[in-house]
Amino acid sequence: QLQLVESGGGLVQPGGSLRLSCAASGFALDYYAIGWFRQAPGKEHEGVACIVSGGRFTNYADSVKGRFIISRDRAKNTVYLRMNNLKPEDTGTYFCAAEGGPPPSCTVRVRTPYETWGQGTQVTVSS
């Protein structure tokens, strides 16, 4: 089965940190881009970050650049999103998604290239 499962969300104060995980099964991450998107209540999905080519290329939205770090663990077939200096504006449901190729775009601008989506994990940033 081709599946993505997110975990690691929770409640955190502004300025705090969380690490989200995206565990992939049924395919090898080396052949796909993995993107993170988020959705606040009543708002559209927003691209956050993407990783491709076994971690040799990454892409970030301007709103998280310098605060969030996307990475991969080849042995665990898992992609991580380390979120530092969290702000209330970061609150939302975070989804990971897989994009095939060749080659994947690894875009954070639109959802349409991504073919497989996880169920989401909730992140709440509040004081």
Side-chain angles (χ1 to χ4, degrees):
Q1 295 180 351
L2 182 62
Q3 293 185 345
L4 299 172
V5 179
E6 304 96 332
S7 62
L11 175 65
V12 64
Q13 294 186 25
S17 298
L18 287 172
R19 188 181 73 164
L20 306 183
S21 299
C22 175
S25 62
F27 62 98
L29 291 176
D30 286 343
Y31 299 105
Y32 291 84
I34 300 295
W36 284 97
F37 290 77
R38 65 189 181 188
Q39 186 176 37
K43 296 188 180 298
E44 297 181 354
H45 282 77
E46 176 189 17
V48 176
C50 183
I51 188 165
V52 75
S53 300
R56 293 184 291 273
F57 176 81
T58 58
N59 196 12
Y60 296 92
D62 288 342
S63 60
V64 306
K65 199 170 187 178
R67 297 190 296 123
F68 291 11
I69 302 170
I70 191 168
S71 62
R72 52 149 280 186
D73 187 323
R74 184 185 181 95
K76 297 180 179 179
N77 212 37
T78 297
V79 169
Y80 301 100
L81 184 69
R82 170 63 70 179
M83 305 184 295
N84 299 312
N85 192 25
L86 283 161
K87 306 177 184 297
E89 307 92 87
D90 296 317
T91 293
T93 303
Y94 282 68
F95 302 86
C96 64
E99 176 194 9
S105 68
C106 204
T107 182
V108 295
R109 297 191 301 272
V110 294
R111 297 169 56 198
T112 48
Y114 295 88
E115 303 153 347
T116 303
W117 291 76
Q119 84 288 352
T121 185
Q122 178 67 36
V123 173
T124 302
V125 185
S126 177
S127 60

